[in-house]
């Protein structure tokens, strides 16, 4: 819901929730209010408003939240995607650490298999939903964090000096910068979903 001020938005949202209640009763469906959260989306640097009146669904109070997860994408109250990107990077690192634990000096998957696992499992998971958050990867800090993932998998593939430059490893192992991989995935998704839009 959107409106000229916060009380108006809350009032409109409560009316919509009432319509949802009536519809679900007619359809004999049961909804779960405890899995429902409310978020106030805004771009203000400082929160200059007090928390508005709580919304209710089937008599249950809906709590206000700063972020929530929806279809695998974390939405935060400013829609700057920082929380989502941080979570994705941490998850990718966990996957790489699991791969590392399966490696030894003389045993474990070969470099070719590791590269396939990285490009076929880790990167698709990382780029999921990038059509809506790819622009957030243009920041220098985000690019540096993403670059560390390429470096980490490169170090797992074969032994090398710690001083080996990351850019050289990306060229050597054919790992494009991840921010470009994310933007490419976003562009492909855009072209796929807009195929009928002439």
């Amino acid at each position: 819901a959107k409106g000229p001020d916060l009380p108006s938005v809350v009032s409109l949202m409560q009316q919509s929730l009432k319509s949802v209640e009536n519809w679900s009763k007619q359809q004999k469906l049961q909804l779960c209010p405890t899995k429902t959260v409310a978020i106030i989306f805004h771009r203000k640097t400082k929160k200059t408003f007090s928390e508005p009146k709580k919304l209710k669904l089937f008599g249950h109070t809906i709590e206000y939240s700063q972020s929530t997860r929806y279809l695998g994408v974390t939405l935060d109250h400013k829609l700057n995607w920082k929380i989502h990107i941080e979570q994705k990077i941490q998850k990718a690192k966990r996957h790489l650490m699991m791969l590392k634990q399966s490696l030894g000096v003389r045993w474990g998957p070969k470099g070719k298999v590791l590269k396939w696992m990285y490009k076929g499992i880790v990167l698709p998971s990382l780029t999921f939903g990038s059509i809506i958050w790819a622009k957030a990867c243009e920041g220098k800090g985000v690019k540096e964090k993403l670059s560390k993932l390429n470096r980490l998998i490169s170090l797992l593939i074969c032994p090398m000096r710690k001083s080996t430059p990351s850019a050289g490893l990306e060229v050597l192992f054919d790992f494009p910068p991840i921010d470009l991989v994310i933007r490419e995935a976003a562009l492909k998704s855009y072209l796929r979903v807009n195929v009928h839009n002439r």
Side-chain angles (χ1 to χ4, degrees), residues 101-164:
Q101 288 174 356
S102 67
L103 285 170
V105 178
R106 297 181 182 275
W107 52 272
K110 293 181 179 178
K112 191 175 181 180
V113 176
L114 283 174
K115 184 177 177 181
W116 174 84
M117 292 170 86
Y118 179 63
K119 286 194 167 185
I121 299 171
V122 178
L123 284 182
S125 172
L126 181 68
T127 59
F128 176 77
S130 59
I131 188 171
I132 58 172
W133 56 266
K135 192 164 179 62
C137 293
E138 293 176 4
K140 186 179 178 183
V142 176
K143 285 182 180 180
E144 287 175 359
K145 289 178 182 177
L146 292 170
S147 177
K148 288 178 182 177
L149 290 178
N150 270 350
R151 181 172 183 80
L152 185 56
I153 188 63
S154 300
L155 294 172
L156 293 177
I157 287 175
C158 68
M160 63 191 70
R161 291 179 181 272
K162 288 184 179 179
S163 59
T164 308

Side-chain angles (χ1 to χ4, degrees), residues 31-48:
L31 304 178
C32 186
T34 56
K35 290 186 177 179
T36 306
V37 296
I39 299 181
I40 302 166
F41 294 105
H42 62 89
R43 295 266 185 195
K44 295 180 179 180
T45 53
K46 290 183 180 179
K47 190 176 177 182
T48 55

Side-chain angles (χ1 to χ4, degrees), residues 9 14 18 29 48 125 159-160 164 190 194:
V9 173
Q14 189 58 64
K18 198 67 186 169
L29 291 173
T48 55
S125 172
M160 63 191 70
T164 308
Y190 175 78
N194 284 281

Side-chain angles (χ1 to χ4, degrees), residues 17 20 35 44 47 58 64 75 78 88 127 137 149 157 167 178-179:
L17 288 173
V20 168
K35 290 186 177 179
K44 295 180 179 180
K47 190 176 177 182
F58 294 109
Y64 287 98
L75 304 168
K78 288 190 177 181
K88 283 289 186 180
T127 59
C137 293
L149 290 178
I157 287 175
I178 300 180
D179 60 296

